[in-house]
Amino acid sequence: MKRRYYRMMEASFIFRIAILLMVIFTIAGSMTGCSSEEQHADTAASSGSTSSQEEVPVLRIFDKNMTGQKFDDPVAEAIMEKTGVRIEVMDATGTPTKALELMKINGTYPDIILMEQGEMVNQFIESGVFLPLDDLIEDYGYNIAEMYGEILEKSRYEDGQVYWLANWYGKDTDASAGVLMRKDYLIELVGRERAESTEPFTVTEYTELLRAFKKKHPEINGTASIPLDLDADAESYTMTMKGIFGMKTYGEDEQGNLTYLPVSERYREVLLYLNSLYTEELLCREWMIDRTEKWKEELRSGAVFSTWCSYWDTDDVNEVLKQEYGEDAQFFSYKVVADDLDETETTYNGRNSLGWDAIGITANCSDPETAMKVLNFLAGEEGQYLLLWGIEGDTWTMEQGIHVPNGEFLESWSTGSAAMEQTTGIRRWKWTIKNGNGSDGTPYDLTTKYSPSELVIFANERILESDYWDTAEYSGLEPSLQSDLGLVWQKIEAGYSEYFPRIVCADDQQEALQLFNEMKTFMEELGLSDCESYITEQYKERLSDWDQE
């Protein structure tokens, strides 16, 4: 606790210095964030929304998910009206990670950044890009303090300060990863009753299904059929792979020490299973060189029986298949269980209670108070319902204190969500989003939670609440890439990336096993045990801190 106190005092001192410097830079007129009076006037004049004499606060936001969109839809306009702030969203077209790296190097980052959680967030903190938020939250972030609760404590950096806000945070037990199968093909193989049953398939049964499909359909539409296809580009198969065999981010022994999963005996079993599918030509022979769009193209062709991913990863594919072949031609999510596990021991639904994005206010923002007020509005219930439900009286109404969606809107959304998102702004700007329900019991996420589709219901009936586990406990434990041990860890991870496809695509089980043992020896010689010790130490310290808080 003393160490945290001194770190917090040190961070507070640094924060005061940063504020002083910002004041000096503002006077010098060199700030690149929230616009000066002259910049406000120019922006207002060009937009035509205010006179050049008015001083309207302007916030520039970089959102890694936004490519080419303007902040001008009904939801966007309502946000600016309610906060009194003009918001400009930077175009993230290209590679967001590279754009962020250039921003950090050149110091050209905007007022607010939304980026992926991970090592780069720590680099932004250590480089002074992100401001500490504790004082701002205390003074202007009452919604944030209430809505986030313990999530703020779990988001603290090692100096004890909060520098970023989580996005899509909180517990979500709804299904995510699964074994997706074309339901019409499955009906051919096992009958409708079994295809619509909630009973899971064992790995042995699933493998037999792949074989039966290949035998029944050696070709489809003149193309060789593919019993199992995976998206190597997005690596969306990894959570399904772990789920089937009951694995999490790391292995863990009886003393609570974490071990690197890819060198475990359980993982060897998984790799050998994948290799058996590959050598038997049940797994697509080109899966490792296919990009996401090629994978989707193969799914749309009708030649694929099964894939491993989350049910939403095939939404656009399913729309095509449904229109061309019918409702049953879609990919539905099923549970497959390792032969030695009970269905309650699978781990399909690894979800991070800290979400997957980080939102921070930068040192380039000359008006952090205004930035915090905007984030505070969005984080509150009014902001959540605006972001995810849209405009009251248009897409929803309040009846006896309860949010009630417009039925016509929901129907329109179900038939064209992408177009509706653009025109309504609903679910377009996903900042400070919380999982769960509002105070009236309705879900914040209207379009996916209020009236879930058949595919969502189907998945939730099979991927059980017992599959849920919080990945936040294991995230970010690895040594920093700026350290010597971090470089060792980087080589270990690179080694896995090299060996994994070689093992899966080996000519036979003997070669696959030989490569696995070679990979294990390679990593041990690099210093894997030191990395595991470090990760374990971080893990136990994190659990201790979270328990104390």
Side-chain angles (χ1 to χ4, degrees):
M1 293 299 291
K2 287 183 178 179
R3 181 177 62 179
R4 170 163 290 183
Y5 172 78
Y6 288 122
R7 283 176 174 171
M8 291 180 67
M9 291 296 290
E10 180 183 6
S12 178
F13 174 75
I14 293 173
F15 177 65
R16 292 189 179 94
I17 294 298
I19 293 297
L20 178 60
L21 289 173
M22 284 190 290
V23 171
I24 295 172
F25 291 151
T26 302
I27 294 172
S30 61
M31 293 300 296
T32 59
C34 299
S35 302
S36 66
E37 181 176 355
E38 182 178 349
Q39 291 170 320
H40 290 161
D42 290 343
T43 302
S46 63
S47 67
S49 60
T50 62
S51 74
S52 60
Q53 301 301 315
E54 293 178 327
E55 192 171 325
V56 179
V58 178
L59 285 176
R60 298 183 68 229
I61 299 177
F62 178 86
D63 180 342
K64 68 178 181 66
N65 303 306
M66 293 296 104
T67 54
Q69 293 93 332
K70 292 184 178 180
F71 202 70
D72 59 0
D73 55 68
V75 168
E77 294 291 346
I79 291 172
M80 291 189 287
E81 179 183 349
K82 290 177 179 293
T83 61
V85 176
R86 181 166 186 80
I87 295 175
E88 299 174 353
V89 177
M90 297 175 63
D91 189 354
T93 301
T95 306
T97 301
K98 291 183 179 178
L100 288 165
E101 288 175 347
L102 288 174
M103 288 180 196
K104 181 167 69 72
I105 293 171
N106 298 328
T108 55
Y109 38 86
D111 307 298
I112 295 174
I113 292 176
L114 182 143
M115 60 194 299
E116 189 172 339
Q117 292 181 26
E119 175 67 22
M120 184 172 283
V121 174
N122 293 337
Q123 293 177 16
F124 271 50
I125 294 172
E126 292 162 3
S127 301
V129 176
F130 281 152
L131 295 177
L133 303 179
D134 290 73
D135 290 343
L136 289 168
I137 292 172
E138 182 177 353
D139 293 339
Y140 309 102
Y142 50 91
N143 284 331
I144 290 171
E146 179 181 352
M147 295 287 273
Y148 278 77
E150 67 174 8
I151 297 297
L152 284 178
E153 301 305 316
K154 292 182 177 181
S155 305
R156 293 192 180 279
Y157 190 58
E158 61 184 25
D159 62 2
Q161 292 278 344
V162 172
Y163 289 88
W164 53 272
L165 300 175
N167 194 32
W168 289 110
Y169 65 95
K171 186 175 181 179
D172 185 357
T173 59
D174 282 0
S176 53
V179 175
L180 273 59
M181 291 186 261
R182 274 272 300 257
K183 189 178 174 185
D184 55 348
Y185 290 148
L186 185 59
I187 290 171
E188 287 183 5
L189 300 177
V190 299
R192 181 172 292 276
E193 182 178 354
R194 181 69 176 97
E196 295 183 345
S197 167
T198 58
E199 179 185 353
F201 295 93
T202 65
V203 165
T204 296
E205 290 172 331
Y206 175 68
T207 308
E208 287 302 320
L209 287 172
L210 299 178
R211 293 181 179 130
F213 170 77
K214 182 181 177 182
K215 182 177 181 180
K216 187 176 182 64
H217 296 287
E219 286 189 356
I220 294 177
N221 298 329
T223 303
S225 65
I226 304 174
L228 173 62
D229 201 0
L230 302 178
D231 179 9
D233 194 16
E235 297 187 357
S236 52
Y237 59 86
T238 55
M239 283 305 300
T240 297
M241 182 176 72
K242 292 176 181 177
I244 294 171
F245 291 88
M247 299 183 294
K248 297 184 178 180
T249 306
Y250 293 98
E252 188 169 350
D253 63 21
E254 295 179 355
Q255 289 72 44
N257 299 312
L258 299 186
T259 56
Y260 188 53
L261 202 59
V263 298
S264 66
E265 293 302 302
R266 189 62 163 176
Y267 210 81
R268 181 185 69 171
E269 179 184 346
V270 175
L271 293 175
L272 292 179
Y273 174 63
L274 286 173
N275 173 254
S276 70
L277 297 180
Y278 181 81
T279 55
E280 202 174 333
E281 298 189 6
L282 300 177
L283 173 61
C284 178
R285 300 293 289 185
E286 288 79 36
W287 76 276
M288 272 308 302
I289 60 175
D290 283 352
R291 316 309 291 176
T292 297
E293 191 47 49
K294 181 68 165 64
W295 166 72
K296 287 188 175 183
E297 180 184 325
E298 289 167 345
L299 265 56
R300 286 192 295 264
S301 74
V304 179
F305 169 58
S306 180
T307 189
W308 295 358
C309 58
S310 296
Y311 65 83
W312 57 76
D313 290 329
T314 57
D315 278 350
D316 52 348
V317 170
N318 279 337
E319 283 296 321
V320 173
L321 294 173
K322 181 171 65 173
Q323 292 177 14
E324 190 164 349
Y325 302 108
E327 192 79 24
D328 287 339
Q330 298 178 94
F331 284 92
F332 285 75
S333 186
Y334 292 87
K335 174 180 280 193
V336 173
V337 185
D339 292 352
D340 60 350
L341 290 182
D342 181 81
E343 66 173 305
T344 61
E345 296 176 299
T346 51
T347 53
Y348 281 93
N349 201 16
R351 294 288 193 106
N352 191 337
S353 63
L354 298 181
W356 55 75
D357 293 331
I359 307 168
I361 300 174
T362 77
N364 274 357
C365 182
S366 61
D367 192 355
E369 295 177 4
T370 293
M372 176 54 65
K373 288 175 181 178
V374 170
L375 293 177
N376 183 67
F377 167 75
L378 296 175
E381 281 216 347
E382 183 181 359
Q384 294 292 287
Y385 281 106
L386 175 58
L387 289 167
L388 301 177
W389 283 60
I391 308 300
E392 182 177 7
D394 184 5
T395 54
W396 65 276
T397 56
M398 186 71 81
E399 299 180 11
Q400 297 181 336
I402 297 176
H403 291 77
V404 178
N406 181 317
E408 292 181 0
F409 161 72
L410 284 179
E411 184 177 350
S412 298
W413 185 278
S414 67
T415 58
S417 58
M420 290 294 290
E421 180 181 302
Q422 295 294 318
T423 58
T424 66
I426 294 173
R427 246 180 162 266
R428 194 180 186 192
W429 313 104
K430 296 180 278 286
W431 305 328
T432 68
I433 299 298
K434 181 177 184 178
N435 292 313
N437 300 331
S439 57
D440 66 354
T442 56
Y444 290 128
D445 193 359
L446 166 64
T447 56
T448 64
K449 303 289 188 180
Y450 187 90
S451 183
S453 69
E454 179 188 4
L455 293 170
V456 176
I457 295 171
F458 198 91
N460 286 338
E461 288 175 343
R462 286 153 184 79
I463 309 301
L464 309 176
E465 189 167 348
S466 59
D467 281 289
Y468 173 83
W469 55 283
D470 192 356
T471 64
E473 295 181 3
Y474 307 99
S475 298
L477 299 174
E478 302 81 8
S480 169
L481 296 180
Q482 311 303 315
S483 66
D484 291 340
L485 194 59
L487 295 177
V488 172
W489 179 255
Q490 190 175 33
K491 292 178 181 178
I492 289 171
E493 291 279 73
Y496 170 72
S497 297
E498 177 188 342
Y499 273 101
F500 176 75
R502 293 175 60 196
I503 295 171
V504 173
C505 302
D507 290 337
D508 52 42
Q509 294 272 286
Q510 182 178 354
E511 182 185 350
L513 184 58
Q514 179 182 339
L515 286 169
F516 174 82
N517 292 332
E518 184 180 309
M519 176 183 73
K520 185 174 181 180
T521 300
F522 167 75
M523 292 178 177
E524 288 173 345
E525 291 177 349
L526 276 176
L528 176 60
S529 61
D530 292 335
C531 291
E532 289 177 328
S533 296
Y534 177 87
I535 290 169
T536 295
E537 181 182 354
Q538 299 300 306
Y539 174 64
K540 291 182 176 180
E541 184 176 334
R542 171 177 293 176
L543 294 185
S544 176
D545 287 344
W546 286 3
D547 286 342
Q548 290 174 10
E549 290 160 352

